[in-house]
Amino acid sequence: MANVIRRQTPLARLGRGALYATLILAALFYLLPLVVMLLTSIKPLEEIRAGSLLALPLAPTLEPWAKAWGEACTGMRCEGIGGYFWNSFAIVIPAVLISTLVGALNGYALTQWRFRGSELLFALMLFGCFIPFQVVLLPMAQTLGWLGLASSRAGLILVHVVFGIAFTTLFFRNFYVAVPRELVAAAKLDGAGFFRIFWRILLPVSAPIIVVSVIWQFTQIWNDFLFGVAFSGHDTQPVTVALNNLVNTSTGVKEYNVDMAAAMIAALPTLVVYVLAGKYFVRGLTAGSVKG
């Protein structure tokens, strides 16, 4: 048996080496656009016109980054994306917190406090995950107008909360299914009510799925363009809309380095979130997959 294992070891090592080589090549290919964007963003325009995309900068500069962040309006060209960058944070943070909290309450109620019609309600909320965003643009615009929230940050927050609840409810419902019902039943016998059980028992064990919900919602809302361009005003636009305006306007000379720097700035928060919390995202997705 030992001889067989020894004879198979070189093949196993060869297979593992081929697997690692394939993964490294795939990672390099996937990261190539990011490398091109980064190199272009620190090159002067003269080098961009004269060199290749992958050429290292001869005279690296951060001027394109400063210009992308805070350039003033000149002619038809829009200002930098700095102010709109903070607009996105002002929209994302409350929308993520509210949709995560409401989704947790919904998931808790649908699994631990079942009521007549709960399965139908969950099916309808699940159906909301598959509704194309374009279908609801007009009725949502009318609703925001009736509420007096048109072209405001509060209106955009409401839109993202409404569409995020379906996803967060799905996440938390699937997670709470794995929580033993006997735990909640024992708390009920001790006199604990709906919210006390939620805050003292369910929420403390929900850290993995909370991370999933926060990462998912943060990424979806930060990268959203459709709702941002449809429901925001000039002063309330998210960074994705400002980036589109910056890239698609010019005064005659196309500044590719400024455009790439602006794109890197706009993508930076989601990159940071995934680098720091990506492994927790995978753990959270699988945390409630096996009951018990």
Side-chain angles (χ1 to χ4, degrees):
M1 187 67 176
N3 293 333
V4 173
I5 293 176
R6 292 194 194 98
R7 285 197 297 269
Q8 290 179 347
T9 299
L11 293 176
R13 290 177 179 175
L14 181 62
R16 181 175 297 179
L19 176 62
Y20 282 134
T22 303
L23 292 175
I24 292 172
L25 288 175
L28 292 175
F29 181 78
Y30 185 79
L31 291 173
L32 188 60
L34 183 63
V35 173
V36 171
M37 290 174 61
L38 181 59
L39 292 177
T40 304
S41 70
I42 58 176
K43 290 180 183 177
L45 278 176
E46 294 74 17
E47 287 191 31
I48 294 175
R49 297 191 188 99
S52 66
L53 288 175
L54 293 175
L56 295 176
L58 300 176
T61 175
L62 293 178
E63 183 182 352
W65 286 72
K67 215 172 182 184
W69 179 261
E71 182 185 26
C73 288
T74 55
M76 293 180 62
R77 191 172 181 85
C78 295
E79 61 185 13
I81 65 172
Y84 303 104
F85 184 87
W86 302 119
N87 270 352
S88 285
F89 272 111
I91 294 167
V92 168
I93 292 175
V96 168
L97 293 178
I98 295 171
S99 59
T100 298
L101 178 59
V102 175
L105 281 169
N106 288 343
Y108 163 54
L110 290 171
T111 54
Q112 304 297 334
W113 292 74
R114 293 184 180 274
F115 51 90
R116 180 175 296 180
S118 60
E119 294 297 328
L120 176 60
L121 178 61
F122 175 68
L124 292 174
M125 298 188 72
L126 185 61
F127 178 73
C129 297
F130 302 98
I131 297 177
F133 291 167
Q134 294 84 350
V135 174
V136 300
L137 288 181
L138 182 57
M140 184 62 73
Q142 292 176 330
T143 302
L144 293 179
W146 293 335
L147 296 174
L149 298 176
S151 301
S152 67
R153 289 195 191 97
L156 269 176
I157 292 171
L158 176 62
V159 171
H160 287 300
V161 167
V162 169
F163 277 89
I165 286 174
F167 292 97
T168 56
T169 298
L170 175 63
F171 293 152
F172 281 95
R173 189 260 186 189
N174 290 343
F175 182 82
Y176 288 150
V177 163
V179 176
R181 296 181 62 86
E182 293 78 11
L183 187 65
V184 176
K188 290 179 183 179
L189 289 175
D190 291 337
F194 181 89
F195 288 103
R196 188 173 183 182
I197 294 174
F198 176 71
W199 289 110
R200 296 294 184 88
I201 298 177
L202 270 297
L203 205 58
V205 301
S206 303
I209 203 63
I210 289 175
V211 172
V212 170
S213 177
V214 168
I215 294 177
W216 175 270
Q217 283 293 88
F218 184 93
T219 304
Q220 295 298 312
I221 298 172
W222 186 274
N223 291 334
D224 169 70
F225 175 78
L226 181 62
F227 290 155
V229 75
F231 302 131
S232 66
H234 175 71
D235 296 330
T236 60
Q237 291 175 347
V239 69
T240 49
V241 178
L243 176 62
N244 176 74
N245 296 339
L246 180 70
V247 170
N248 290 306
T249 57
S250 70
T251 56
V253 178
K254 189 63 176 174
E255 297 179 297
Y256 294 104
N257 49 1
V258 176
D259 295 343
M260 292 299 180
M264 292 289 295
I265 292 172
L268 193 58
T270 51
L271 289 174
V272 170
V273 166
Y274 268 107
V275 168
L276 296 180
K279 61 181 180 180
Y280 302 107
F281 183 79
V282 177
R283 291 177 187 175
L285 284 177
T286 57
S289 59
V290 179
K291 184 165 181 156

